[in-house]
């Protein structure tokens, strides 16, 4: 598909919240990179596109609320390349699925059993035969290629520090699902600044293993899942509301809301000294929120 020369710009914004207790926070707004494409998934995809020189489009897979498929379909529409989505379960019209169709993504529903087979060695064979000119991207856009696509975020933050009056920063804080985005930041930082990953999934989902396969050290994982992926509780929803009212920052309950709430708990526990400067990555996901809040 040739080199992807369109790299989104993520604004860095200072945020005031009463629980910060002297810790300074700036939010890297990946939710604001583009009117159609949102979040960390496009950065991960650029890493895969860099490897897809011979292909004319992308085939990938995900669920009926998938932020990954949404970003892929939106990018295909924006840049004019074909996309195919392999979906978990049976046909349903979620807001995400309606967008995928509107963006021109070709959909195939795999059922639940068919989707579970996605890690089998021969899973891709029939799809490669049907779509020989499309480059396959794993679920969520993960792996080392996906991580490398996120490395540019470090540079984007550095360039915007002077506008905030910051001479530097101390650490990163972000939600982790597979840990690919965190791994990309840790790769680019090479130990210069610690990267904290607030896990949206419980420990047994293999996040640590995913990250270790890509980068050695420079990061720390914390469980922010609140009992399970997509598990939502009133305290979390209140926190998301309160944050929006306090500073206008929109969060969703699966990743970014849990990540910021986990940061609040750590600040209150005294993990960060007053004056510490943190970069919180808003990884997007607001489109998926439609399925949960109506
Ligand atoms: C996918 C996703 C994540 C997790 O990213 P990983 O690279 O898998 O850790 C975090 N936040 C949002 C909003 C996401 O959609």
């Amino acid at each position: 598909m040739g080199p992807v020369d369109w790299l989104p710009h993520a604004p860095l914004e200072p945020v005031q919240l009463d629980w910060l207790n002297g810790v300074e926070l700036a939010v890297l707004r990946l939710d604001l990179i583009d009117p159609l494409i949102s979040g960390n998934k496009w950065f991960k995809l650029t890493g895969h596109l860099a490897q897809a020189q011979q292909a004319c489009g992308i085939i990938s897979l995900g669920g009926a609320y998938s932020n990954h498929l949404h970003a892929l379909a939106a990018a295909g529409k924006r840049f004019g390349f074909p996309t195919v989505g392999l979906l978990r379960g049976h046909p349903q019209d979620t807001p995400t699925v309606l967008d995928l169709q509107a963006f021109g993504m070709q959909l195939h529903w795999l059922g639940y059993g068919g989707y579970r087979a996605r890690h089998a060695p021969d899973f891709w064979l029939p799809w490669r035969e049907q779509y020989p000119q499309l480059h396959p991207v794993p679920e969520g856009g993960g792996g080392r290629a996906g991580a490398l696509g996120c490395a540019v975020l470090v540079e984007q933050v550095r360039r915007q520090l002077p506008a905030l009056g910051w001479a530097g920063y101390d650490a990163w804080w972000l939600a982790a699902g597979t840990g690919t985005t965190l791994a990309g930041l840790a790769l680019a930082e090479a130990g210069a600044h610690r990267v904290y990953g607030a896990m949206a999934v419980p420990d047994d989902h293999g996040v640590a293993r995913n990250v270790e396969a890509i980068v050695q050290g420079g990061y720390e994982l914390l469980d922010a899942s609140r009992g399970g992926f997509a598990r939502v509780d009133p305290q979390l929803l209140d926190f998301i509301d309160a944050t929006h009212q306090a500073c206008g920052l929109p969060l969703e309950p699966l990743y970014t809301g849990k990540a910021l709430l986990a940061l609040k708990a750590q600040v209150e526990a005294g993990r960060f000294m007053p004056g510490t400067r943190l970069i919180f990555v808003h990884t997007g996901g607001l489109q998926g929120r439609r399925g949960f809040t109506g």
Side-chain angles (χ1 to χ4, degrees), residues 19-61:
W19 50 264
L20 282 169
N21 193 32
V23 171
E24 294 186 54
L25 190 67
V27 181
L28 187 64
R29 301 286 303 269
L30 306 193
D31 58 317
L32 296 181
I33 55 175
D34 183 86
L36 279 191
I37 314 171
S38 171
N40 60 338
K41 298 302 188 291
W42 173 248
F43 289 91
K44 293 165 78 168
L45 276 165
T46 59
H48 288 279
L49 291 174
Q51 297 190 331
Q53 303 283 344
Q54 306 306 316
C56 77
I58 298 280
I59 178 169
S60 193
L61 66 186

Side-chain angles (χ1 to χ4, degrees), residues 100-115:
L100 299 182
Q101 288 166 335
F103 293 151
M105 177 177 261
Q106 168 123 38
L107 306 184
H108 296 276
W109 294 86
L110 303 190
Y112 291 97
Y115 196 82

Side-chain angles (χ1 to χ4, degrees), residues 38-41 44 65-68 139-142 146-147 150 174-184 198 200 207 210-211 229 252 254-256 259 281-287:
S38 171
N40 60 338
K41 298 302 188 291
K44 293 165 78 168
Y65 296 92
S66 169
N67 293 324
H68 164 65
E139 194 179 32
C150 298
L174 76 158
T178 61
T180 308
T181 307
L182 166 131
V207 180
N210 290 341
V211 179
F229 181 62
E252 46 67 52
L254 271 52
Y255 295 100
T256 52
V281 185
H282 191 311
T283 42
L286 297 171
Q287 72 81 22

Side-chain angles (χ1 to χ4, degrees), residues 36 40 65 75 98 130 136 180 191 193 198 216 222 242 270 276 279 287:
L36 279 191
N40 60 338
Y65 296 92
L98 295 176
Q130 187 171 345
T180 308
H193 301 100
Q216 278 68 55
L222 304 91
T276 304
I279 308 289
Q287 72 81 22

